[in-house]
Amino acid sequence: MSFLGRSGAPSGSVNPERVEMAMQELDMVTDVFNRLVSSCHAKCISPRYAEGDLSKGESVCIDRCVSKFFEVNKKVGEKLQSMGAGQSGTQSAFGSL
Amino acid sequence: MSFLGRSGAPSGSVNPERVEMAMQELDMVTDVFNRLVSSCHAKCISPRYAEGDLSKGESVCIDRCVSKFFEVNKKVGEKLQSMGAGQSGTQSAFGSL
Amino acid sequence: MSFLGRSGAPSGSVNPERVEMAMQELDMVTDVFNRLVSSCHAKCISPRYAEGDLSKGESVCIDRCVSKFFEVNKKVGEKLQSMGAGQSGTQSAFGSL
Amino acid sequence: MDFSQMNAAEQAHMSKVIEKKQMQDFLRMYSNLVERCFNACCNDFTSKALSSKEEQCVMNCTDKFLKHSERVGARFAEQNADAMNSTAGK
Amino acid sequence: MDFSQMNAAEQAHMSKVIEKKQMQDFLRMYSNLVERCFNACCNDFTSKALSSKEEQCVMNCTDKFLKHSERVGARFAEQNADAMNSTAGK
Amino acid sequence: MDFSQMNAAEQAHMSKVIEKKQMQDFLRMYSNLVERCFNACCNDFTSKALSSKEEQCVMNCTDKFLKHSERVGARFAEQNADAMNSTAGK
């Protein structure tokens, strides 16, 4: 999640801007984690719920699912960076503001 | 999105109430936009992803989809206003508070 | 929703901690209510929309659906408490922080 | 929810918070309703105008969803009150 | 949205708020995109590495979603402007 | 996430924020779990009481979801640490 590449800033009292950025990063990590849990649950967990333990197959699937999700996260991040995104898509909603 | 019909209020220093209302309206516009993107993606974009460009058919579908979504937004807004909503439905959750 | 079992704390001026907790509980009730509306809509309401009134069958289904949802809420809450949850699952996302 | 453990200042503060939250909840319910009824009723994109059939569907969908929410809300309040009483009884 | 009813101090405040919101919206769009393209493109978990076919799918999915959002945004802005004008005309 | 660039005051502030966030995340996980297991396990509305079969399903669903989250969390932490190290190495 080092996609945002914040530059280090040193010492002193509470800098609201720095705290704000850390909180945004924290929110993002939580958001990504929740989506990851949900996606891998849909991909790997049998919806019959005949027992409460993860089967061997489910466990292996989860491990691979997390790996692939991280790879996808990286690819999408690189793609967005290469496009200088943060500019297009999102802002267009505010074109009329 | 002029559904809320806020009355104009003039001049001076920062009025927290007015800023709050503008922020609520901004949140709402963003929320509607995100739902619009998601709905029209589901309606118009083929999930095969054989190429990265929008096809002619997809592009036309998006334009019509946005139009229809706005019409639905308008119809639902009129319906809610005619019912004097904001009163019923939502508040019932708080009946026991 | 008394799952959180907050202990009563008395008198004085605004205690930010107590207000904060009440707000969290309020957010949770709203969140649960919205999920309940959405789940029971999916379970009980026919998606044909040939008329605007609830049919007799739909109404009965809604009543039972809410009952069952509350029972599930209770069972899950008991299960989480018996596991001393709030510790595991959620925090693991923050293992690397 | 039980606010009786709060003092007057805190209760007043909570009322304002709840009022603001109700506005936000209403706005979310509104856009949720638009999304839900659009998705259920609009499946033909050979035209950009809403057909009368689609419009009727949207009106019924809106109507029904509000009645549904109201009924769920009424049952929810009852169940919540029951849960409260059985807790208070202990 | 019409900010002309606001004074300069309020407009400056709103600009900051909007800027912060755009950052948050961008981050949400990013994780939404990852989830969406992962779900659409990855269905084989016999290996932990992304296949070249899956990777191509993810790239196309990302590309297409951004173009889709941009187009929706453009139409949205037009419709919003129309709605604004017809309201202002009354 | 790397908080080492923060000073002590900022780190203390972040700890409080994270603690509050964990409570919120727990509550969201709880209601998400209820919704998920209700949707997966309850499909018969000819009765208002949970059948023993439905109850067993809900218990297994809860159990399994928590174990799933824990495993995803463990892998997530490893991958995050790897990503951190490869960035730090540059």
Side-chain angles (χ1 to χ4, degrees):
Chain A
M1 309 297 128
S2 54
F3 166 70
L4 301 173
R6 270 88 187 239
S7 51
S11 80
S13 62
V14 173
N15 175 340
E17 196 131 319
R18 200 149 69 236
V19 167
E20 172 78 25
M21 279 184 124
M23 281 175 61
Q24 279 197 349
E25 195 161 343
L26 184 57
D27 279 343
M28 188 196 172
V29 173
T30 308
D31 185 34
V32 170
F33 180 72
N34 289 336
R35 292 175 194 261
L36 173 60
V37 166
S38 191
S39 291
C40 292
H41 197 272
K43 299 285 185 190
C44 297
I45 306 298
S46 150
R48 288 185 312 102
Y49 297 115
E51 80 293 295
D53 286 317
L54 295 174
S55 72
K56 183 85 188 101
E58 287 170 333
S59 299
V60 172
C61 180
I62 292 169
D63 295 352
R64 290 171 179 162
C65 183
V66 175
S67 274
K68 280 207 177 177
F69 195 94
F70 263 78
E71 272 203 74
V72 170
N73 184 72
K74 197 164 154 258
K75 294 292 172 201
V76 171
E78 287 167 1
K79 178 103 189 163
L80 288 179
Q81 269 186 315
S82 78
M83 300 171 75
Q87 263 77 280
S88 71
T90 349
Q91 283 192 332
S92 50
F94 297 98
S96 58
L97 298 183
Chain B
M1 309 294 130
S2 54
F3 167 71
L4 300 172
R6 269 89 187 238
S7 53
S11 79
S13 63
V14 172
N15 174 341
E17 198 132 317
R18 199 147 71 236
V19 167
E20 173 78 25
M21 280 182 126
M23 280 175 60
Q24 278 196 349
E25 195 161 343
L26 184 56
D27 278 343
M28 189 196 172
V29 173
T30 308
D31 185 34
V32 170
F33 180 71
N34 288 335
R35 292 175 194 262
L36 173 61
V37 166
S38 191
S39 291
C40 292
H41 197 271
K43 299 283 185 192
C44 298
I45 306 297
S46 151
R48 287 186 313 104
Y49 298 116
E51 81 292 296
D53 286 318
L54 296 173
S55 73
K56 183 84 188 103
E58 288 171 332
S59 299
V60 172
C61 180
I62 292 169
D63 295 351
R64 290 172 179 161
C65 182
V66 175
S67 273
K68 280 208 176 176
F69 195 94
F70 264 78
E71 272 204 74
V72 170
N73 184 72
K74 198 163 154 256
K75 294 292 173 202
V76 171
E78 287 167 2
K79 178 104 191 164
L80 288 179
Q81 269 185 316
S82 78
M83 302 171 77
Q87 264 77 281
S88 71
T90 349
Q91 283 193 331
S92 51
F94 298 98
S96 58
L97 297 183
Chain C
M1 308 295 128
S2 54
F3 166 70
L4 300 172
R6 269 87 187 241
S7 52
S11 80
S13 64
V14 172
N15 174 342
E17 199 132 316
R18 200 148 71 236
V19 167
E20 171 79 24
M21 278 183 126
M23 280 175 62
Q24 277 196 349
E25 195 160 343
L26 184 57
D27 279 342
M28 188 195 172
V29 173
T30 308
D31 185 34
V32 170
F33 180 72
N34 288 335
R35 292 175 194 261
L36 173 61
V37 167
S38 190
S39 291
C40 293
H41 197 271
K43 299 283 185 191
C44 298
I45 306 297
S46 151
R48 286 185 316 102
Y49 298 116
E51 80 292 298
D53 286 317
L54 295 173
S55 72
K56 183 87 188 99
E58 287 170 331
S59 299
V60 173
C61 180
I62 291 169
D63 295 352
R64 292 173 178 160
C65 182
V66 175
S67 275
K68 281 208 176 177
F69 195 94
F70 263 77
E71 273 203 72
V72 171
N73 185 71
K74 198 164 152 258
K75 294 292 173 201
V76 171
E78 287 167 2
K79 178 103 191 166
L80 288 179
Q81 270 185 315
S82 78
M83 301 172 76
Q87 264 78 280
S88 70
T90 349
Q91 283 192 330
S92 50
F94 298 98
S96 58
L97 296 182
Chain D
M1 198 165 306
D2 183 12
F3 291 162
S4 60
Q5 299 165 352
M6 293 188 152
N7 62 43
E10 285 168 352
Q11 290 190 12
H13 184 80
M14 281 307 292
S15 300
K16 286 195 70 169
V17 169
I18 290 176
E19 199 181 299
K20 191 182 132 191
K21 224 179 127 34
Q22 283 180 331
M23 184 62 186
Q24 286 174 339
D25 289 344
F26 172 72
L27 293 180
R28 266 199 72 183
M29 185 274 281
Y30 174 36
S31 52
N32 176 35
L33 195 49
V34 172
E35 181 185 39
R36 182 182 290 279
C37 296
F38 174 81
N39 288 340
C41 299
C42 300
N43 287 300
D44 168 29
F45 296 98
T46 55
S47 144
K48 69 169 212 167
L50 217 53
S51 72
S52 63
K53 203 182 128 210
E54 285 171 329
E55 182 175 337
Q56 189 56 55
C57 178
V58 167
M59 293 293 95
N60 289 341
C61 172
T62 301
D63 229 357
K64 213 167 198 170
F65 184 81
L66 292 175
K67 284 168 185 161
H68 168 73
S69 296
E70 223 168 321
R71 191 168 189 109
V72 171
R75 291 299 94 76
F76 183 82
E78 287 168 18
Q79 298 267 1
N80 237 356
D82 286 358
M84 227 49 97
N85 289 340
S86 68
T87 309
K90 282 180 191 167
Chain E
M1 197 164 306
D2 183 13
F3 290 162
S4 60
Q5 298 164 352
M6 294 188 151
N7 61 44
E10 286 168 351
Q11 289 190 12
H13 184 81
M14 282 307 293
S15 299
K16 286 194 71 168
V17 169
I18 290 175
E19 198 181 299
K20 190 181 133 192
K21 226 180 126 34
Q22 284 180 330
M23 184 62 186
Q24 286 174 337
D25 289 344
F26 172 71
L27 293 181
R28 267 199 71 184
M29 184 274 281
Y30 175 35
S31 52
N32 175 36
L33 195 49
V34 172
E35 180 186 39
R36 182 182 289 278
C37 296
F38 174 81
N39 288 340
C41 298
C42 300
N43 286 302
D44 168 29
F45 296 98
T46 55
S47 143
K48 69 169 211 165
L50 215 55
S51 72
S52 63
K53 202 181 129 213
E54 286 172 330
E55 182 175 337
Q56 188 57 53
C57 178
V58 167
M59 293 294 95
N60 288 341
C61 172
T62 300
D63 228 358
K64 213 166 196 170
F65 184 80
L66 293 174
K67 283 169 187 161
H68 168 73
S69 295
E70 222 167 322
R71 191 169 188 108
V72 171
R75 291 299 94 75
F76 183 82
E78 287 169 16
Q79 297 268 0
N80 237 357
D82 286 358
M84 225 52 95
N85 289 340
S86 69
T87 310
K90 281 180 191 167
Chain F
M1 199 165 306
D2 182 13
F3 290 163
S4 60
Q5 299 164 352
M6 293 188 153
N7 61 44
E10 285 169 352
Q11 290 191 12
H13 184 80
M14 282 307 294
S15 299
K16 287 194 71 169
V17 169
I18 290 176
E19 199 181 297
K20 191 182 132 191
K21 224 180 128 34
Q22 283 181 332
M23 183 63 187
Q24 287 174 337
D25 288 344
F26 173 72
L27 293 180
R28 267 199 72 183
M29 185 273 282
Y30 175 36
S31 53
N32 175 35
L33 196 49
V34 172
E35 181 186 40
R36 182 183 289 278
C37 296
F38 174 82
N39 287 341
C41 299
C42 301
N43 287 301
D44 168 28
F45 296 97
T46 57
S47 145
K48 70 169 210 165
L50 216 53
S51 72
S52 62
K53 202 181 129 211
E54 286 171 329
E55 182 176 335
Q56 188 57 54
C57 178
V58 168
M59 293 294 96
N60 288 342
C61 173
T62 301
D63 228 358
K64 212 167 196 168
F65 184 81
L66 293 176
K67 284 168 187 161
H68 168 72
S69 295
E70 222 168 321
R71 189 169 190 107
V72 171
R75 290 301 93 75
F76 184 81
E78 287 168 16
Q79 297 267 1
N80 237 356
D82 287 357
M84 226 52 95
N85 289 339
S86 69
T87 309
K90 283 180 190 166

